[in-house]
Amino acid sequence: MTRMGRDFSYTTQRDAVSPVSADVIFASSRFPNYKNRANTLEDAKLVSMKQEFRNETAQLLDQQNRLSVRDLASKFEKGLAAATKLSDETKLQDVASLEKHVLIENLRDALESLRGRAVGKNKDDVEEAIAMVESLAFQLTQRESELVQEKAEVKKLASFLKQASEDAKKLVDEERAFARTEIEKARAAVQRVEEALQEQERMSRAAGKQDVEELMKEVQEARRIKMLHQPSKVMDMDHELQALRTQLAEKSKSSVKLQKELAMCRRGEIDTPDIFELDGAESLGSYLEIHQCSDTAPELLQCSIQWYRLASEDGKKCLISGATKPIYAPEPSDVGRVLQADIISDGLSVTLTTSGPIDPAAGLGNYVEALVRRHDTEFNVVIVQMNGADHPSESIHVLHVGKMRMKLCKDKTTVAKEYYSSSMQLCGVRGGGNAAAQAAFWQPKIGLSFVLAFESERERNAAIMLARRFAFDCNIMLAGPDDRATQKTT
C-alpha cells in the first residue's frame, strides 16, 4: 500500500507539474509578452480612430473660417459620432481588461500552488514564472491607468464636441432665422423697387406722351408762324405799309391845302396870292416847315419868324420861346392847340396857322400809361449839344426817367443826375432840321443843359410825357424855357 501510495503521489506530482513545464517554455529570464490577436486588432483600430479624429479636428480648426455654418455643424456631428463610438469601444476594452485581470489572478494562484509542491529546478522555474506574472500584472495596471486617462480625455473631448455641436445647431438655427428675415426683407425691398420702377415707367410714359403732344403743338405753331412770317411776305407787307403811309401823307397834305384854301375863301382873300405856306402833318411826331410859294417872296433867312400856340377856347396866343426857325416839331404841350407862325420882313407881315389843332400820336397815351407803372424807365439817347455847344462824341447814353429824379449816364459813369425841381426844364427842340421831331431839350439845373436825340419820335414824346407826369406828382410843373411865365400871363 505504501509503495502504491508513493508511486501514486509521485505520478500525481509529475503529472501535475508536467503540463506546466510541457506547455510553458521559459527561453529567457523575463516573462514573455503574450499578445492576443483580437486585442492587437482592437488597439490598432483604436489608434487609427484616434488619429482620424485628431486629423478631422485639425481640419475643422483650419477650415472654420472657410466653412459655412451648416458644414461646421455637420463636422461637429461627425466628430460627436466618432467620440461616441470611441467611448463604446473603450467600454469594451474595460471588459477585456477585466477578463485579463481574472486570468492573471488565476494564473498566479496556480503558480503559487505549484511553488509549494515543486522542488529543485522546477521550483526555481515556478518562482520565475510568478515574478513574470506579477510584472505582467504591473504592466497591465499601468496600461489600464493610461487607458483611464485617455478615457477621461475622450469623455472631455466628447463633452466638448457635444457642447460645440449644440452651439453649432443653435447658431445654425439663429443664422437660418436671420437669413429668413433678411430674405423676407430683401423680397419686400425688391417688391418695393419693382413697384417704384413700374410707377416711374407709367409716369414717364404719361409724361413722354404729354411732352410729345406739347411738342407737336409747338411744332405746328412754329410752322404756322413761319408761314406767316416768311421773308417774302414780310417784305411785301412792309412795302404795302410804306405805300399806305406815303398815300396817307399825300392825302394829309392835300387835305391841309384844301382846308387852307377854304379858310382863305371864307376870309375873302382868295384873290391875294400866298407867298408862304406851312407844309407837314399836323400831328404829334411830325414837323411843320415854312415854304416859299412865290418867286417874289423874301428869303426866309432874312425874315423874322416866331411860333405861337393858340388856345382853342379863347384864341389867345402863347409865345413859344426859342421857336424862331422855319421848322418846328410839335411837342406834347401842343396837342389840341392851333400853331401859328408870324413872318416879318421889310414891313411885310405874313401869318400862317395850322388848319386845326395838333392831333395826338396814335397809341402814345397807352404806351405812356404802361411806362408809368414802372419805377424807372430807360431811353437810349445821343448827346447832340451840351450847354449850347456841339458835343463831339456820338456815343450812346442812357436817360433814366424815374418817379423822383432823372439821370443821364454812360455805362457806369453818371453825366447828370437831378431830382425834379423848379429849375429843371424839359421840352422838344424848338428849331433844327428834319430830326427835330426826335430831339429834346433838357436842363437838369441852371448852368447845365443838353440837346438829346432819341431813337424815334415815339421815344422822345414818351420821355417828355412820362417825366412831366412824374414831376406833376411831385408838385413840379415841368416845361420848356419861359413856358411857365407865359402860362401865368395867359
Side-chain angles (χ1 to χ4, degrees), residues 204-310:
S204 62
R205 287 179 180 176
K209 186 176 181 181
Q210 185 176 1
D211 293 340
V212 169
E213 293 178 355
E214 293 179 356
L215 184 60
M216 291 177 64
K217 292 180 180 179
E218 292 180 359
V219 169
Q220 294 176 358
E221 184 68 17
R223 288 177 178 175
R224 187 182 67 82
I225 294 174
K226 183 178 179 181
M227 293 179 64
L228 292 175
H229 294 82
Q230 289 181 355
S232 59
K233 293 185 178 181
V234 173
M235 292 177 65
D236 294 340
M237 294 175 64
D238 288 340
H239 291 316
E240 292 178 1
L241 184 59
Q242 187 66 28
L244 291 174
R245 287 177 179 174
T246 304
Q247 293 178 5
L248 181 60
E250 292 177 356
K251 295 293 182 181
S252 178
K253 289 180 181 180
S254 301
S255 177
V256 170
K257 186 175 182 180
L258 290 174
Q259 289 178 1
K260 289 179 180 179
E261 291 179 357
L262 180 60
M264 291 171 63
C265 289
R266 289 176 180 177
R267 291 195 301 266
E269 299 176 354
I270 190 61
D271 295 332
T272 304
D274 292 335
I275 58 176
F276 297 104
E277 67 175 356
L278 283 178
D279 186 18
E282 297 176 357
S283 62
L284 186 63
S286 62
Y287 64 92
L288 300 174
E289 186 176 1
I290 301 175
H291 287 288
Q292 297 174 342
C293 298
S294 174
D295 295 337
T296 60
E299 294 291 336
L300 291 175
L301 295 177
Q302 300 175 359
C303 300
S304 176
I305 302 174
Q306 181 62 55
W307 291 83
Y308 297 91
R309 297 187 185 97
L310 300 180

Side-chain angles (χ1 to χ4, degrees), residues 91-140:
K91 291 179 180 180
L92 294 176
Q93 284 185 353
D94 291 340
V95 175
S97 177
L98 181 61
E99 292 177 354
K100 291 179 181 180
H101 279 286
V102 172
L103 292 175
I104 290 174
E105 289 294 332
N106 293 333
L107 181 59
R108 184 184 296 172
D109 293 339
L111 292 174
E112 287 291 337
S113 62
L114 289 175
R115 185 173 59 179
R117 289 179 290 175
V119 292
K121 185 177 180 180
N122 291 331
K123 186 176 182 179
D124 295 334
D125 294 337
V126 169
E127 290 179 355
E128 185 177 357
I130 291 173
M132 290 182 181
V133 168
E134 290 179 354
S135 176
L136 180 60
F138 176 76
Q139 291 179 2
L140 183 60

